Amino acid sequence: GTLQALRAECPEDLQAYIFDKGWAMTEWHRIKAYQLVSLTIVAEALLLQLKNKRVSLFMSDEPWVQSFTFSKPVLLWVSPANAGAEWLANEL
């Protein structure tokens, strides 16, 4: 529906917070892969409000994550001083 119709369905005490704060519009699609992108956008916006930091999220079954491969074997060096680097290298 229209934005006005969505506003009318929203509880009155929440309308100003949801519709008047300049939030970015996020489209919702019927295709699952696009729904995951929309959910990621919404989750990032919420987390930014809670943490006030730059946050990036991804869903593990997003197509670009599933198809991530190296075309040939690679050697990756990690610093023992970098907390979590070994775990991330193993994930790759």
Side-chain angles (χ1 to χ4, degrees):
T2 66
L3 194 55
Q4 293 80 14
L6 293 172
R7 185 182 185 117
E9 293 177 14
C10 182
E12 193 170 320
D13 59 324
L14 297 176
Q15 287 179 6
Y17 182 74
I18 293 171
F19 294 97
D20 299 337
K21 292 286 187 177
W23 298 103
M25 297 286 290
T26 303
E27 290 187 42
W28 187 257
H29 299 275
R30 297 184 71 180
I31 299 169
K32 181 183 177 185
Y34 297 123
Q35 289 176 349
L36 292 174
V37 172
S38 294
L39 286 172
T40 301
I41 292 168
V42 170
E44 283 180 338
L46 290 172
L47 288 172
L48 285 170
Q49 293 304 306
L50 296 173
K51 301 274 187 185
N52 202 19
K53 293 183 187 179
R54 173 83 175 116
V55 177
S56 294
L57 298 176
F58 68 92
M59 304 286 185
S60 62
D61 58 348
E62 286 182 18
W64 73 269
V65 173
Q66 291 177 350
S67 63
F68 182 77
T69 59
F70 292 105
S71 60
K72 57 184 177 181
V74 296
L75 177 62
L76 180 63
W77 293 89
V78 297
S79 169
N82 186 347
E86 182 179 5
W87 173 85
L88 180 60
N90 289 329
E91 286 295 307
L92 292 174

Coordinates of all heavy atoms in Angstrom, one line a residue:
G1 N 0.8 -1.2 0.0 CA 0.0 0.0 0.0 C 0.9 1.3 0.0 O 2.1 1.2 -0.1
T2 N 0.2 2.4 0.1 CA 0.9 3.6 0.1 C 1.5 3.9 1.5 O 1.1 3.3 2.5 CB -0.1 4.8 -0.2 OG1 -1.1 4.9 0.9 CG2 -0.8 4.6 -1.5
L3 N 2.4 4.8 1.6 CA 3.0 5.2 2.8 C 2.0 5.7 3.8 O 2.0 5.4 5.0 CB 4.1 6.2 2.6 CG 5.1 6.5 3.7 CD1 5.8 5.2 4.1 CD2 6.2 7.4 3.3
Q4 N 1.0 6.5 3.3 CA 0.0 7.0 4.1 C -0.9 5.9 4.7 O -1.3 5.9 5.9 CB -0.9 8.0 3.4 CG -0.3 9.3 2.9 CD 0.6 9.1 1.7 OE1 0.5 8.1 1.0 NE2 1.5 10.1 1.5
A5 N -1.2 4.8 4.0 CA -1.9 3.7 4.4 C -1.1 2.9 5.5 O -1.7 2.5 6.5 CB -2.3 2.8 3.3
L6 N 0.2 2.8 5.3 CA 1.0 2.1 6.3 C 1.0 2.9 7.6 O 1.0 2.4 8.7 CB 2.4 1.9 5.8 CG 2.5 0.9 4.6 CD1 3.9 0.9 4.0 CD2 2.2 -0.5 5.0
R7 N 1.1 4.2 7.5 CA 1.1 5.1 8.7 C -0.2 4.9 9.4 O -0.2 4.9 10.7 CB 1.4 6.5 8.2 CG 1.5 7.5 9.4 CD 1.7 8.9 9.0 NE 1.9 9.7 10.2 CZ 3.1 10.4 10.4 NH1 4.0 10.4 9.5 NH2 3.2 11.1 11.5
A8 N -1.3 4.9 8.7 CA -2.6 4.8 9.4 C -2.7 3.4 10.1 O -3.4 3.4 11.2 CB -3.7 4.9 8.3
E9 N -2.0 2.4 9.7 CA -2.1 1.1 10.4 C -1.1 1.0 11.6 O -1.2 0.2 12.4 CB -1.7 0.0 9.4 CG -2.7 -0.2 8.3 CD -2.2 -1.3 7.3 OE1 -1.2 -2.0 7.6 OE2 -2.8 -1.4 6.2
C10 N -0.2 2.0 11.7 CA 0.8 2.0 12.7 C 0.2 2.6 14.0 O -0.6 3.6 13.9 CB 2.0 2.8 12.3 SG 3.3 2.9 13.5
P11 N 0.5 2.1 15.2 CA 0.0 2.7 16.4 C 0.4 4.2 16.5 O 1.5 4.6 16.1 CB 0.7 2.0 17.5 CG 1.0 0.6 16.9 CD 1.3 0.9 15.5
E12 N -0.6 5.1 16.9 CA -0.4 6.5 16.8 C 0.9 7.0 17.6 O 1.6 7.9 17.1 CB -1.6 7.2 17.3 CG -1.6 8.7 17.0 CD -3.0 9.3 17.3 OE1 -4.0 8.7 17.1 OE2 -2.9 10.4 17.9
D13 N 1.2 6.4 18.7 CA 2.3 6.8 19.5 C 3.7 6.5 18.8 O 4.7 7.0 19.2 CB 2.3 6.2 20.9 CG 2.2 4.7 21.0 OD1 1.6 4.1 20.1 OD2 2.8 4.2 21.9
L14 N 3.7 5.6 17.8 CA 4.9 5.2 17.1 C 5.1 5.9 15.8 O 6.1 5.9 15.2 CB 5.0 3.7 16.9 CG 5.0 2.9 18.2 CD1 5.0 1.4 17.8 CD2 6.3 3.2 19.0
Q15 N 4.0 6.5 15.3 CA 4.0 7.1 13.9 C 5.1 8.1 13.7 O 5.8 8.0 12.7 CB 2.6 7.7 13.6 CG 1.5 6.7 13.4 CD 0.2 7.3 13.1 OE1 0.1 8.5 12.9 NE2 -0.8 6.5 13.0
A16 N 5.3 9.0 14.6 CA 6.3 10.1 14.4 C 7.7 9.5 14.4 O 8.5 9.8 13.5 CB 6.2 11.1 15.5
Y17 N 7.9 8.5 15.2 CA 9.3 7.9 15.3 C 9.6 7.1 14.0 O 10.7 7.2 13.5 CB 9.4 7.0 16.5 CG 10.7 6.4 16.6 CD1 11.8 7.1 17.1 CD2 10.9 5.0 16.3 CE1 13.1 6.6 17.2 CE2 12.2 4.5 16.4 CZ 13.3 5.3 16.8 OH 14.5 4.7 16.9
I18 N 8.6 6.4 13.5 CA 8.8 5.6 12.4 C 8.8 6.3 11.0 O 9.6 6.1 10.2 CB 7.8 4.4 12.3 CG1 8.0 3.5 13.5 CG2 7.8 3.6 11.0 CD1 7.0 2.4 13.7
F19 N 7.8 7.3 10.9 CA 7.6 7.9 9.6 C 8.2 9.3 9.5 O 8.3 9.8 8.4 CB 6.1 7.9 9.3 CG 5.5 6.6 9.1 CD1 4.9 5.9 10.1 CD2 5.7 5.9 7.9 CE1 4.4 4.7 10.0 CE2 5.1 4.7 7.7 CZ 4.5 4.0 8.7
D20 N 8.6 10.0 10.6 CA 9.0 11.3 10.5 C 10.5 11.5 10.8 O 11.0 12.6 10.9 CB 8.2 12.2 11.4 CG 6.7 12.2 11.1 OD1 6.4 11.9 9.9 OD2 5.9 12.5 12.0
K21 N 11.3 10.5 11.0 CA 12.7 10.6 11.3 C 13.6 10.5 10.1 O 14.8 10.5 10.3 CB 13.0 9.4 12.3 CG 12.4 9.5 13.7 CD 13.0 10.6 14.5 CE 12.5 10.6 15.9 NZ 13.1 11.6 16.7
G22 N 13.1 10.4 8.9 CA 14.0 10.4 7.8 C 14.6 9.1 7.5 O 15.7 9.0 6.9
W23 N 14.1 8.0 8.0 CA 14.6 6.7 7.8 C 14.6 6.4 6.3 O 13.8 6.8 5.5 CB 13.8 5.6 8.4 CG 13.7 5.6 9.9 CD1 12.6 6.1 10.6 CD2 14.7 5.3 10.9 NE1 12.9 6.0 12.0 CE2 14.2 5.5 12.1 CE3 16.0 4.7 10.8 CZ2 14.9 5.3 13.3 CZ3 16.7 4.5 11.9 CH2 16.1 4.7 13.2
A24 N 15.6 5.6 5.8 CA 15.7 5.2 4.4 C 14.6 4.2 4.2 O 14.3 3.4 5.0 CB 17.0 4.6 4.1
M25 N 14.0 4.3 3.0 CA 13.0 3.3 2.6 C 13.6 2.0 2.2 O 14.7 2.1 1.5 CB 12.1 3.8 1.4 CG 11.3 5.1 1.8 SD 9.9 4.7 2.8 CE 8.9 3.9 1.7
T26 N 13.1 0.9 2.6 CA 13.6 -0.4 2.2 C 12.5 -1.2 1.5 O 11.5 -1.4 2.0 CB 14.1 -1.2 3.4 OG1 15.1 -0.4 4.1 CG2 14.7 -2.5 3.0
E27 N 12.8 -1.6 0.3 CA 11.8 -2.3 -0.5 C 11.8 -3.8 -0.1 O 12.8 -4.3 0.3 CB 12.2 -2.3 -2.0 CG 12.0 -0.9 -2.6 CD 12.3 -1.0 -4.1 OE1 11.8 -1.9 -4.8 OE2 12.9 -0.1 -4.6
W28 N 10.6 -4.4 -0.2 CA 10.4 -5.8 0.2 C 10.0 -6.5 -1.1 O 9.2 -6.0 -1.9 CB 9.3 -5.9 1.2 CG 9.2 -7.3 1.7 CD1 8.3 -8.3 1.3 CD2 10.1 -8.0 2.6 NE1 8.5 -9.4 1.9 CE2 9.6 -9.3 2.7 CE3 11.2 -7.6 3.3 CZ2 10.2 -10.2 3.6 CZ3 11.8 -8.5 4.1 CH2 11.4 -9.8 4.2
H29 N 10.7 -7.6 -1.4 CA 10.5 -8.4 -2.6 C 10.0 -9.8 -2.3 O 10.1 -10.2 -1.2 CB 11.8 -8.5 -3.4 CG 12.3 -7.1 -3.8 ND1 11.9 -6.5 -5.0 CD2 13.2 -6.3 -3.2 CE1 12.6 -5.4 -5.1 NE2 13.4 -5.2 -4.0
R30 N 9.4 -10.4 -3.3 CA 8.9 -11.8 -3.1 C 10.0 -12.8 -3.2 O 9.8 -13.9 -2.7 CB 7.8 -12.0 -4.1 CG 6.6 -11.1 -3.9 CD 5.5 -11.4 -4.8 NE 4.9 -12.7 -4.4 CZ 3.9 -13.3 -5.0 NH1 3.4 -12.8 -6.0 NH2 3.5 -14.4 -4.6
I31 N 11.1 -12.5 -3.8 CA 12.2 -13.4 -4.0 C 13.0 -13.5 -2.8 O 13.5 -12.5 -2.3 CB 13.0 -13.1 -5.3 CG1 12.1 -13.1 -6.5 CG2 14.2 -14.0 -5.4 CD1 12.7 -12.5 -7.7
K32 N 13.3 -14.7 -2.3 CA 14.0 -14.9 -1.0 C 15.3 -14.2 -1.0 O 15.7 -13.5 0.0 CB 14.2 -16.4 -0.7 CG 14.9 -16.6 0.6 CD 15.1 -18.1 0.9 CE 15.9 -18.2 2.2 NZ 16.3 -19.6 2.5
A33 N 16.1 -14.3 -2.0 CA 17.4 -13.6 -2.0 C 17.3 -12.1 -1.8 O 18.1 -11.5 -1.0 CB 18.2 -13.9 -3.3
Y34 N 16.3 -11.5 -2.4 CA 16.1 -10.1 -2.2 C 15.6 -9.8 -0.8 O 15.8 -8.7 -0.2 CB 15.3 -9.5 -3.3 CG 15.9 -9.6 -4.7 CD1 15.2 -10.3 -5.7 CD2 17.1 -9.1 -4.9 CE1 15.7 -10.4 -6.9 CE2 17.7 -9.2 -6.2 CZ 17.0 -9.9 -7.2 OH 17.5 -10.0 -8.4
Q35 N 14.7 -10.7 -0.3 CA 14.2 -10.5 1.1 C 15.4 -10.5 2.1 O 15.4 -9.7 3.0 CB 13.2 -11.6 1.4 CG 11.9 -11.5 0.7 CD 11.0 -12.6 1.0 OE1 11.4 -13.6 1.6 NE2 9.7 -12.5 0.5
L36 N 16.4 -11.3 1.9 CA 17.5 -11.3 2.8 C 18.3 -10.0 2.8 O 18.8 -9.5 3.8 CB 18.4 -12.5 2.5 CG 17.9 -13.9 2.7 CD1 18.8 -15.0 2.2 CD2 17.6 -14.1 4.2
V37 N 18.4 -9.4 1.6 CA 19.0 -8.1 1.4 C 18.2 -7.1 2.2 O 18.8 -6.3 3.0 CB 19.2 -7.7 0.0 CG1 19.7 -6.3 -0.2 CG2 20.1 -8.7 -0.8
S38 N 16.9 -7.1 2.1 CA 16.1 -6.1 2.8 C 16.2 -6.3 4.3 O 16.3 -5.3 5.0 CB 14.6 -6.3 2.4 OG 14.4 -5.9 1.0
L39 N 16.2 -7.5 4.8 CA 16.3 -7.8 6.2 C 17.7 -7.3 6.7 O 17.8 -6.8 7.8 CB 16.2 -9.3 6.5 CG 14.7 -9.8 6.4 CD1 14.7 -11.3 6.5 CD2 13.9 -9.2 7.5
T40 N 18.7 -7.5 5.9 CA 20.1 -7.0 6.3 C 20.1 -5.5 6.4 O 20.6 -5.0 7.4 CB 21.1 -7.5 5.3 OG1 21.1 -8.9 5.2 CG2 22.5 -7.0 5.7
I41 N 19.5 -4.8 5.5 CA 19.4 -3.4 5.5 C 18.7 -2.9 6.8 O 19.1 -2.0 7.5 CB 18.7 -2.8 4.3 CG1 19.6 -3.0 3.1 CG2 18.4 -1.3 4.4 CD1 18.9 -2.8 1.7
V42 N 17.5 -3.5 7.1 CA 16.8 -3.2 8.3 C 17.6 -3.4 9.6 O 17.6 -2.6 10.5 CB 15.4 -3.9 8.3 CG1 14.7 -3.7 9.7 CG2 14.5 -3.4 7.2
A43 N 18.2 -4.6 9.6 CA 19.0 -5.0 10.8 C 20.2 -4.0 11.0 O 20.5 -3.6 12.1 CB 19.5 -6.4 10.7
E44 N 20.8 -3.6 9.9 CA 22.0 -2.7 10.0 C 21.5 -1.3 10.6 O 22.1 -0.7 11.4 CB 22.6 -2.5 8.7 CG 23.5 -3.6 8.3 CD 24.2 -3.4 7.0 OE1 23.7 -2.6 6.1 OE2 25.3 -4.0 6.7
A45 N 20.3 -0.9 10.1 CA 19.8 0.4 10.6 C 19.4 0.3 12.1 O 19.7 1.3 12.8 CB 18.5 0.8 9.8
L46 N 18.9 -0.8 12.5 CA 18.6 -0.9 13.9 C 19.8 -1.0 14.8 O 19.9 -0.3 15.8 CB 17.7 -2.2 14.1 CG 16.3 -2.1 13.6 CD1 15.7 -3.5 13.7 CD2 15.5 -1.1 14.4
L47 N 20.8 -1.7 14.3 CA 22.1 -1.8 15.1 C 22.8 -0.5 15.2 O 23.4 -0.2 16.2 CB 23.0 -2.9 14.5 CG 22.5 -4.4 14.7 CD1 23.4 -5.3 13.9 CD2 22.5 -4.7 16.2
L48 N 22.8 0.3 14.1 CA 23.4 1.6 14.1 C 22.8 2.5 15.2 O 23.4 3.3 15.8 CB 23.3 2.2 12.7 CG 24.3 1.7 11.7 CD1 24.0 2.2 10.3 CD2 25.7 2.0 12.1
Q49 N 21.5 2.3 15.4 CA 20.8 3.1 16.4 C 21.2 2.6 17.8 O 21.3 3.4 18.8 CB 19.3 3.0 16.3 CG 18.8 3.7 15.0 CD 19.2 5.1 14.9 OE1 19.0 5.9 15.9 NE2 19.8 5.5 13.8
L50 N 21.5 1.4 18.0 CA 21.8 0.8 19.3 C 23.3 1.1 19.6 O 23.6 1.4 20.8 CB 21.6 -0.7 19.3 CG 20.1 -1.1 19.2 CD1 20.0 -2.6 19.1 CD2 19.3 -0.6 20.4
K51 N 24.2 0.9 18.7 CA 25.6 0.9 18.9 C 26.3 2.3 18.5 O 27.3 2.6 18.9 CB 26.3 -0.2 18.2 CG 25.8 -1.6 18.5 CD 26.6 -2.0 19.7 CE 26.2 -3.5 20.0 NZ 26.8 -4.0 21.2
N52 N 25.6 3.0 17.6 CA 26.1 4.2 17.1 C 27.5 4.0 16.4 O 28.4 4.8 16.6 CB 26.2 5.3 18.1 CG 26.3 6.7 17.5 OD1 25.9 6.9 16.4 ND2 26.7 7.7 18.3
K53 N 27.7 2.9 15.7 CA 28.9 2.5 15.0 C 28.6 2.1 13.6 O 27.5 1.8 13.3 CB 29.7 1.4 15.7 CG 30.2 1.7 17.1 CD 30.9 0.4 17.5 CE 31.4 0.5 18.9 NZ 32.0 -0.7 19.4
R54 N 29.6 2.0 12.8 CA 29.5 1.4 11.5 C 29.4 -0.1 11.6 O 30.2 -0.8 12.2 CB 30.7 1.7 10.6 CG 30.7 1.1 9.3 CD 29.8 1.8 8.3 NE 29.9 1.2 7.0 CZ 28.9 0.6 6.4 NH1 27.7 0.6 6.9 NH2 29.1 0.1 5.2
V55 N 28.3 -0.7 11.1 CA 28.1 -2.2 11.2 C 27.8 -2.7 9.9 O 27.0 -2.1 9.1 CB 26.9 -2.5 12.2 CG1 26.6 -3.9 12.3 CG2 27.2 -1.9 13.6
S56 N 28.4 -3.8 9.5 CA 28.0 -4.5 8.3 C 27.6 -5.9 8.6 O 28.2 -6.6 9.4 CB 29.2 -4.6 7.4 OG 29.6 -3.3 6.9
L57 N 26.5 -6.4 8.0 CA 25.9 -7.7 8.2 C 25.8 -8.4 6.9 O 25.7 -7.8 5.9 CB 24.5 -7.6 8.9 CG 24.4 -6.9 10.2 CD1 22.9 -6.8 10.6 CD2 25.2 -7.7 11.3
F58 N 25.8 -9.7 7.0 CA 25.5 -10.5 5.8 C 24.8 -11.8 6.3 O 25.0 -12.2 7.5 CB 26.7 -10.9 5.0 CG 27.7 -11.8 5.6 CD1 27.6 -13.2 5.5 CD2 28.7 -11.3 6.5 CE1 28.5 -14.0 6.1 CE2 29.6 -12.1 7.1 CZ 29.5 -13.5 6.9
M59 N 24.0 -12.4 5.5 CA 23.4 -13.7 5.8 C 24.2 -14.8 5.2 O 24.7 -14.6 4.0 CB 22.0 -13.7 5.2 CG 21.1 -12.6 5.6 SD 20.6 -12.9 7.3 CE 19.4 -11.6 7.5
S60 N 24.5 -15.8 5.9 CA 25.4 -16.9 5.4 C 24.9 -17.6 4.1 O 25.7 -18.2 3.4 CB 25.6 -17.9 6.5 OG 24.4 -18.6 6.8
D61 N 23.6 -17.5 3.8 CA 23.1 -18.1 2.6 C 22.9 -17.1 1.5 O 22.3 -17.4 0.5 CB 21.9 -19.0 2.8 CG 20.7 -18.2 3.4 OD1 20.9 -17.0 3.9 OD2 19.6 -18.7 3.5
E62 N 23.5 -15.9 1.6 CA 23.4 -15.0 0.5 C 24.2 -15.6 -0.7 O 25.2 -16.2 -0.5 CB 24.0 -13.6 0.9 CG 23.1 -12.8 1.8 CD 23.7 -11.4 2.1 OE1 24.6 -11.0 1.4 OE2 23.3 -10.8 3.1
P63 N 23.7 -15.4 -1.9 CA 24.4 -16.0 -3.1 C 25.9 -15.6 -3.2 O 26.7 -16.5 -3.5 CB 23.6 -15.5 -4.3 CG 22.3 -15.1 -3.7 CD 22.5 -14.7 -2.3
W64 N 26.2 -14.4 -2.9 CA 27.7 -14.0 -3.1 C 28.5 -14.7 -2.0 O 29.7 -14.9 -2.2 CB 27.8 -12.5 -3.1 CG 27.6 -11.9 -1.7 CD1 26.5 -11.4 -1.2 CD2 28.6 -11.7 -0.7 NE1 26.7 -10.9 0.1 CE2 28.0 -11.0 0.4 CE3 30.0 -12.0 -0.6 CZ2 28.7 -10.7 1.6 CZ3 30.6 -11.6 0.6 CH2 30.0 -11.0 1.6
V65 N 28.0 -15.0 -0.9 CA 28.7 -15.7 0.2 C 28.9 -17.2 -0.2 O 30.0 -17.7 0.0 CB 28.0 -15.6 1.6 CG1 28.8 -16.4 2.6 CG2 28.0 -14.1 2.0
Q66 N 27.9 -17.8 -0.7 CA 28.0 -19.2 -1.1 C 28.9 -19.5 -2.2 O 29.6 -20.5 -2.3 CB 26.6 -19.7 -1.5 CG 25.6 -19.8 -0.3 CD 24.2 -20.2 -0.8 OE1 23.9 -20.3 -2.0 NE2 23.4 -20.5 0.2
S67 N 29.1 -18.5 -3.1 CA 29.9 -18.7 -4.3 C 31.3 -18.2 -4.1 O 32.1 -18.2 -5.1 CB 29.2 -18.1 -5.5 OG 29.2 -16.7 -5.3
F68 N 31.7 -17.8 -2.9 CA 33.0 -17.3 -2.7 C 34.1 -18.4 -2.7 O 34.1 -19.2 -1.9 CB 33.1 -16.5 -1.4 CG 34.4 -15.9 -1.1 CD1 34.7 -14.7 -1.7 CD2 35.3 -16.4 -0.2 CE1 36.0 -14.1 -1.5 CE2 36.5 -15.9 0.0 CZ 36.8 -14.7 -0.6
T69 N 34.9 -18.4 -3.8 CA 36.0 -19.4 -3.9 C 37.2 -18.7 -4.5 O 37.1 -17.7 -5.2 CB 35.6 -20.6 -4.8 OG1 35.3 -20.1 -6.0 CG2 34.4 -21.3 -4.2
F70 N 38.4 -19.3 -4.2 CA 39.6 -18.8 -4.9 C 39.8 -19.7 -6.1 O 39.6 -20.9 -6.1 CB 40.8 -19.0 -3.9 CG 40.7 -18.0 -2.7 CD1 40.4 -18.5 -1.5 CD2 41.0 -16.7 -2.9 CE1 40.3 -17.6 -0.4 CE2 41.0 -15.8 -1.8 CZ 40.6 -16.3 -0.6
S71 N 40.3 -19.1 -7.2 CA 40.5 -19.9 -8.4 C 41.7 -20.8 -8.3 O 41.8 -21.7 -9.1 CB 40.7 -18.9 -9.6 OG 41.8 -18.0 -9.4
K72 N 42.7 -20.5 -7.4 CA 43.8 -21.4 -7.2 C 44.2 -21.3 -5.7 O 43.7 -20.4 -5.0 CB 45.0 -21.0 -8.0 CG 45.4 -19.5 -7.9 CD 46.5 -19.2 -8.9 CE 46.9 -17.7 -8.7 NZ 47.9 -17.3 -9.6
P73 N 44.9 -22.3 -5.2 CA 45.3 -22.3 -3.8 C 46.0 -21.0 -3.4 O 46.8 -20.4 -4.2 CB 46.2 -23.4 -3.6 CG 45.9 -24.3 -4.8 CD 45.5 -23.4 -5.9
V74 N 45.7 -20.5 -2.2 CA 46.4 -19.3 -1.7 C 47.0 -19.5 -0.3 O 46.6 -20.4 0.4 CB 45.4 -18.1 -1.5 CG1 44.8 -17.7 -2.9 CG2 44.3 -18.4 -0.6
L75 N 48.0 -18.8 0.0 CA 48.6 -18.8 1.3 C 48.3 -17.5 2.0 O 48.6 -16.4 1.5 CB 50.2 -19.0 1.1 CG 51.0 -19.0 2.4 CD1 50.6 -20.2 3.3 CD2 52.5 -19.0 2.1
L76 N 47.7 -17.6 3.2 CA 47.3 -16.5 3.9 C 48.0 -16.4 5.2 O 48.0 -17.4 6.0 CB 45.8 -16.5 4.2 CG 45.2 -15.4 4.9 CD1 45.3 -14.1 4.2 CD2 43.7 -15.6 5.2
W77 N 48.7 -15.3 5.5 CA 49.4 -15.1 6.7 C 48.6 -14.3 7.7 O 47.9 -13.4 7.3 CB 50.8 -14.4 6.5 CG 51.7 -15.2 5.7 CD1 51.8 -15.2 4.3 CD2 52.7 -16.1 6.2 NE1 52.8 -16.1 3.9 CE2 53.4 -16.6 5.0 CE3 53.1 -16.5 7.4 CZ2 54.4 -17.5 5.2 CZ3 54.1 -17.4 7.5 CH2 54.8 -17.9 6.4
V78 N 48.6 -14.7 9.0 CA 47.8 -14.0 10.0 C 48.8 -13.6 11.1 O 49.7 -14.4 11.5 CB 46.6 -14.7 10.5 CG1 45.6 -14.9 9.4 CG2 47.0 -16.0 11.1
S79 N 48.6 -12.5 11.7 CA 49.4 -12.1 12.9 C 48.8 -12.7 14.2 O 47.6 -12.6 14.4 CB 49.4 -10.6 13.0 OG 49.9 -10.2 14.2
P80 N 49.6 -13.3 15.0 CA 49.1 -13.7 16.3 C 48.6 -12.6 17.2 O 47.8 -12.8 18.1 CB 50.3 -14.5 16.9 CG 51.5 -14.0 16.2 CD 51.0 -13.5 14.9
A81 N 49.0 -11.4 16.9 CA 48.6 -10.2 17.6 C 47.2 -9.7 17.2 O 46.6 -8.8 17.8 CB 49.6 -9.1 17.5
N82 N 46.7 -10.3 16.1 CA 45.4 -9.9 15.6 C 44.3 -10.8 16.1 O 44.1 -11.9 15.5 CB 45.4 -9.8 14.1 CG 44.1 -9.2 13.5 OD1 43.1 -9.1 14.1 ND2 44.2 -8.9 12.2
A83 N 43.6 -10.5 17.1 CA 42.6 -11.4 17.7 C 41.6 -11.8 16.7 O 41.0 -10.9 16.0 CB 41.9 -10.7 18.9
G84 N 41.3 -13.0 16.5 CA 40.3 -13.5 15.6 C 40.8 -13.7 14.2 O 40.1 -14.3 13.4
A85 N 42.0 -13.4 13.9 CA 42.5 -13.5 12.5 C 42.7 -14.9 12.1 O 42.3 -15.3 11.0 CB 43.9 -12.8 12.4
E86 N 43.1 -15.8 13.0 CA 43.3 -17.2 12.7 C 41.9 -17.8 12.4 O 41.8 -18.6 11.4 CB 44.0 -18.0 13.8 CG 44.2 -19.4 13.4 CD 45.0 -20.2 14.5 OE1 45.2 -19.6 15.6 OE2 45.3 -21.3 14.3
W87 N 40.9 -17.5 13.2 CA 39.6 -18.0 13.0 C 39.1 -17.6 11.6 O 38.6 -18.4 10.9 CB 38.7 -17.6 14.1 CG 37.2 -18.0 13.8 CD1 36.6 -19.1 14.1 CD2 36.2 -17.2 13.2 NE1 35.3 -19.1 13.7 CE2 35.1 -17.9 13.1 CE3 36.2 -15.9 12.6 CZ2 33.9 -17.5 12.5 CZ3 35.1 -15.4 12.0 CH2 33.9 -16.2 12.0
L88 N 39.2 -16.3 11.3 CA 38.7 -15.8 10.0 C 39.5 -16.5 8.9 O 38.9 -16.9 7.9 CB 38.9 -14.3 10.0 CG 38.4 -13.6 8.7 CD1 36.9 -13.9 8.4 CD2 38.7 -12.2 8.7
A89 N 40.8 -16.6 9.0 CA 41.6 -17.3 7.9 C 41.1 -18.7 7.7 O 40.9 -19.2 6.6 CB 43.0 -17.3 8.3
N90 N 40.8 -19.4 8.8 CA 40.2 -20.8 8.7 C 38.9 -20.8 8.0 O 38.5 -21.7 7.3 CB 40.2 -21.5 10.0 CG 41.6 -21.8 10.5 OD1 42.5 -22.1 9.8 ND2 41.7 -21.8 11.9
E91 N 38.0 -19.8 8.3 CA 36.7 -19.7 7.7 C 36.8 -19.5 6.2 O 36.1 -20.0 5.4 CB 35.9 -18.5 8.3 CG 35.4 -18.8 9.7 CD 34.4 -19.9 9.7 OE1 33.4 -19.9 8.9 OE2 34.6 -20.9 10.5
L92 N 37.9 -18.7 5.8 CA 38.1 -18.5 4.3 C 38.5 -19.8 3.7 O 38.2 -20.1 2.6 CB 39.1 -17.4 4.1 CG 38.6 -16.0 4.5 CD1 39.7 -15.0 4.4 CD2 37.4 -15.5 3.6

